[in-house]
């Protein structure tokens, strides 16, 4: 698979978002099946794997560590810090105090069965801790060899600049897709200026852009999409118009809607590496197939024209979750 540069970190053009194996999307995937899918991704050229202490919580890092142990030195593992948890594992708020970052780093290293973290993201900006303190702590961890690269997730321009001035930021991870294009306004120009890579999560609109979800789809009780404004029955009915536009282009290119959605992201900038998540081998192979889809300038113009006619309905997060996003 083609490689891409996130700052000075080389990764596969497509990564694998591992959250869905046991967090947010219903019942956990069978452990052995999850390991099979993760290892299959590596066998097919994926070298960039994304996890976090928050996924599970904690169980996802253990899964990723076990799955990637046989070829640890051939892959890039990204994980995240930035939250606190109670005794039952429930999230109790943001926490990027320097001492807590160090605690998380040590715990993540053990769960991942490794002696270094390739890319250590602050999961969400902590308004109670100056960004300079966060970046400085990760800088120390890099000096100590526990971490190799520093990343931010869902950070705004001001905090990106503040962090980068203390410790160069290798990558920013935020949502970006055909139905969420806010990063184009300020984030992407800033990243290009500073030489920071971009890692879009939910590049397939949490599954919606694949065409597999409509207004009749039912979600499991633990599937967080059932609480998202963009996934109400009414919103899904309206937003099907988006998938219809993607499907038209996909048919012309002999591809699937998912492949067109990923190929579009890859065509935006050479320093973008999306991390679609899946728990199914068939979907993994479909996603990887997007790297072979070439969108011409004419194709990209057609996509812009098609989406200019569509208005996406529904916020991407409830108000309570939106408060955690740095602006």
């Amino acid at each position: 698979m083609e490689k891409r540069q996130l700052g000075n970190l080389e990764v596969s053009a497509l990564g694998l978002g591992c959250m869905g194996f046991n967090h947010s999307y219903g019942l956990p995937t069978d452990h052995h099946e999850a390991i099979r899918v993760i290892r299959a991704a590596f066998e097919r050229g994926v070298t960039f794997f994304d996890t976090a202490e928050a996924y599970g919580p904690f169980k996802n890092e253990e899964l990723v560590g076990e799955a990637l142990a046989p070829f640890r030195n051939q892959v890039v593992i990204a994980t995240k810090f930035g939250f606190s948890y109670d005794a039952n594992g429930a999230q109790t708020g943001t926490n990027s105090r320097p001492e807590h970052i160090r605690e998380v780093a040590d715990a993540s290293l053990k769960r991942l069965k490794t002696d270094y973290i390739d890319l250590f993201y602050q999961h969400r900006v902590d308004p109670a801790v100056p960004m300079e303190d966060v970046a400085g702590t990760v800088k120390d961890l890099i000096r100590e060899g526990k971490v190799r690269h520093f990343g931010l997730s869902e950070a705004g321009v001001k905090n990106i600049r503040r962090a980068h001035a203390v410790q160069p930021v290798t990558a920013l991870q935020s949502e970006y897709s055909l139905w969420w294009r806010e990063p184009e306004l300020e984030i992407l120009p800033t990243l290009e200026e500073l030489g920071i890579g971009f890692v879009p999560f939910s590049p397939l609109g949490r599954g919606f852009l694949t065409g597999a979800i409509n207004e009749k789809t039912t979600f499991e009780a633990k599937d967080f999409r059932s609480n998202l404004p963009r996934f109400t029955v009414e919103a899904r009915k309206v937003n099907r118009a988006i998938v219809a536009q993607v499907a038209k282009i996909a048919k012309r290119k002999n591809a699937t809607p998912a492949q067109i959605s990923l190929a579009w992201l890859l065509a935006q900038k050479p320093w973008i590496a999306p991390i679609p998540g899946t728990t199914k081998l068939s979907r993994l192979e479909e996603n990887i197939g997007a790297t072979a889809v070439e969108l011409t300038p004419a194709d990209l113009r057609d996509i812009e024209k098609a989406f200019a006619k569509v208005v996406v309905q529904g916020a991407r997060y409830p108000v309570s979750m939106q408060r955690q996003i740095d602006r």
Side-chain angles (χ1 to χ4, degrees):
M1 186 186 295
E2 170 201 350
K3 296 291 194 295
R4 293 198 161 194
Q5 290 292 135
L6 303 175
N8 60 352
L9 176 63
E10 184 178 81
V11 299
S12 52
L14 279 186
L16 178 64
C18 298
M19 179 182 77
F21 288 114
N22 47 25
H23 188 76
S24 291
Y25 289 103
L27 296 174
T29 306
D30 173 79
H31 185 76
H32 296 293
E33 178 62 16
I35 288 177
R36 186 173 82 96
V37 173
I38 292 171
R39 290 180 176 172
F42 173 74
E43 291 164 1
R44 287 156 176 76
V46 175
T47 61
F48 187 28
F49 296 85
D50 185 85
T51 182
E53 64 157 359
Y55 305 157
F58 314 123
K59 296 183 182 299
N60 199 254
E61 285 184 321
E62 294 173 352
L63 168 69
V64 170
E66 180 180 347
L68 297 179
F71 24 82
R72 172 64 187 100
N73 293 333
Q74 300 175 63
V75 298
V76 170
I77 298 177
T79 192
K80 308 175 189 74
F81 64 87
F83 292 114
S84 288
Y85 305 87
D86 64 20
N88 297 316
Q91 201 176 104
T92 57
T94 54
N95 185 348
S96 284
R97 291 179 292 107
E99 61 272 25
H100 185 67
I101 296 173
R102 286 186 163 278
E103 291 169 358
V104 174
D106 289 339
S108 291
L109 287 169
K110 290 180 182 178
R111 289 189 288 264
L112 291 168
K113 303 181 190 302
T114 184
D115 55 5
Y116 65 94
I117 296 166
D118 294 285
L119 179 56
F120 204 29
Y121 292 106
Q122 183 189 37
H123 210 150
R124 291 291 185 271
V125 170
D126 186 342
V129 180
M131 183 56 76
E132 290 78 7
D133 291 351
V134 175
T137 303
V138 177
K139 184 172 187 173
D140 289 341
L141 290 170
I142 291 173
R143 286 174 178 160
E144 294 164 19
K146 293 182 178 181
V147 172
R148 293 191 171 177
H149 298 272
F150 177 35
L152 298 172
S153 179
E154 295 274 36
V157 169
K158 289 182 180 179
N159 274 310
I160 292 170
R161 291 187 181 280
R162 289 173 65 185
H164 195 68
V166 176
Q167 168 59 42
V169 177
T170 293
L172 175 77
Q173 180 178 137
S174 289
E175 185 171 352
Y176 183 39
S177 69
L178 277 169
W179 80 340
W180 179 255
R181 298 180 61 174
E182 184 186 69
E184 295 172 354
L185 300 177
E186 294 185 335
I187 294 295
L188 293 186
T190 301
L191 300 184
E192 188 157 35
E193 174 197 337
L194 299 176
I196 299 171
F198 189 49
V199 180
F201 70 76
S202 297
L204 297 175
R206 298 186 171 85
F208 195 83
L209 295 175
T210 67
I213 296 172
N214 58 35
E215 62 272 22
K216 297 179 182 179
T217 301
T218 56
F219 298 110
E220 294 182 17
K222 292 186 177 181
D223 192 317
F224 88 132
R225 288 174 292 188
S226 60
N227 295 316
L228 299 182
R230 193 162 288 191
F231 280 84
T232 64
V233 172
E234 180 183 335
R236 277 183 272 154
K237 182 180 288 189
V238 173
N239 291 336
R240 287 287 292 173
I242 298 168
V243 179
Q245 295 293 346
V246 180
K248 288 179 185 177
I249 296 162
K251 185 176 181 180
R252 192 176 76 212
K253 300 293 290 186
N254 194 29
T256 67
Q259 289 171 338
I260 293 299
S261 298
L262 292 172
W264 177 83
L265 274 172
L266 291 169
Q268 298 309 300
K269 299 289 181 182
W271 36 268
I272 287 179
I275 49 169
T278 184
T279 61
K280 298 180 175 63
L281 186 57
S282 60
R283 288 294 190 186
L284 171 69
E285 292 174 339
E286 178 184 357
N287 292 345
I288 291 173
T291 61
V293 176
E294 182 179 352
L295 295 178
T296 66
D299 292 329
L300 294 171
R301 285 194 296 272
D302 287 346
I303 291 173
E304 290 299 324
K305 290 178 183 177
F307 274 78
K309 306 172 184 176
V310 177
V311 177
V312 181
Q313 180 167 316
R316 67 179 181 129
Y317 286 135
V319 173
S320 59
M321 292 180 67
Q322 191 64 34
R323 291 195 188 104
Q324 293 182 340
I325 309 304
D326 178 46
R327 285 291 173 262

